[in-house]
Amino acid sequence: MSMDEAAARALFATARVARLATVGADGRPHLVPIAFALDGDTLYTAVDHKPKRTTRLRRLENVAANPSVSVLADHYDEGDWSALWWVRADGVAGTVAPPEPRQARAVALLEARYEQYQRRPPSGPAIVVSISRWSGWRAADVGQGW
Amino acid sequence: MSMDEAAARALFATARVARLATVGADGRPHLVPIAFALDGDTLYTAVDHKPKRTTRLRRLENVAANPSVSVLADHYDEGDWSALWWVRADGVAGTVAPPEPRQARAVALLEARYEQYQRRPPSGPAIVVSISRWSGWRAADVGQGW
């Protein structure tokens, strides 16, 4: 019913967008869509510097307060629910800011994956997620929708 | 830079899929994609009965332990990052199971919105989210990507 970790990871890697869930110190969840790059079981995403007031961006505050995060990629098809799938990556996140080498590494991987980042590299901190668990679901395997 | 609540709600209502973030008793976030229906500031989503072992489904356990949830709808366009947008609905969730009238209400709204549910109505519990805050972001307003 659920797919194995290697299959889940491979499917996640095909997605161009994912959603990052963090949790605030108040216990409330926070969600944003992200562009991302994978390197093995490490996921990188970055923050543009302006005009999001990077220094107090909620996702960064949350990761500092509670490093547990979840990242979801999914596929929806209006006409064919048997084509639906999702993959979730659960792990622990940290933040790296310039001039830390891992921020440059994140930018390089993101530039390699997104043409838009080649034209305008993200200049803010990167979030680095060490993924400890991949899980996934495919409608075709179970014969129903979400 | 951010849109007003009415605009955010209207944009969210155009989405066919959203992502639901809940938080476990252990403080870890959990993410699933959902089909949904809106009725004012109330969002409904439902769980298919089998074979997801509904009685112990994580999202339901989490909502029981911590009712704070966040739901995100977004739009990605590979070729045009100026078309990107997202809307987030933050609120408090509860669960309603058959034969509660609100579960039937959820199913009716979901059937009206998704042809697939007309053919195969969700028979499990519904999650009802009372949304207290709509927030959104549109790339066209700020001239950059996520």
Side-chain angles (χ1 to χ4, degrees), chain A residues 20 22 34-47 59-60 63-64 66-71 89-98 100-107 109-110 124-132:
Chain A
L20 170 69
T22 59
I34 57 169
F36 69 93
L38 280 180
D39 181 19
D41 289 327
T42 303
L43 180 146
Y44 295 91
T45 185
V47 172
R59 73 197 84 167
L60 302 178
V63 164
N66 178 349
S68 291
V69 304
S70 186
V71 190
D90 296 304
V92 170
T95 301
V96 289
E100 294 177 67
R102 286 192 99 184
Q103 193 272 348
R105 168 87 175 138
V107 170
L109 288 167
L110 289 163
I127 294 175
V128 183
V129 182
S130 298
I131 297 163
S132 53

Side-chain angles (χ1 to χ4, degrees), chain B residues 33-45:
Chain B
I34 57 169
F36 68 92
L38 280 180
D39 181 20
D41 289 327
T42 303
L43 180 147
Y44 295 92
T45 185

Side-chain angles (χ1 to χ4, degrees), chain A residues 69-84:
Chain A
V69 304
S70 186
V71 190
L72 182 79
D74 59 58
H75 174 71
Y76 184 75
D77 184 321
E78 184 66 35
D80 180 10
W81 277 19
S82 74
L84 271 50

Side-chain angles (χ1 to χ4, degrees), chain B residues 7-32:
Chain B
R9 191 199 169 288
L11 199 50
F12 191 105
T14 68
R16 301 297 291 170
V17 58
R19 289 85 199 171
L20 169 70
T22 59
V23 181
D26 58 3
R28 291 164 66 180
H30 184 257
L31 267 178
V32 284

Side-chain angles (χ1 to χ4, degrees), chain B residues 127-138:
Chain B
I127 294 175
V128 183
V129 182
S130 298
I131 297 163
S132 52
R133 180 167 182 258
W134 295 96
S135 51
W137 177 93
R138 214 192 287 256

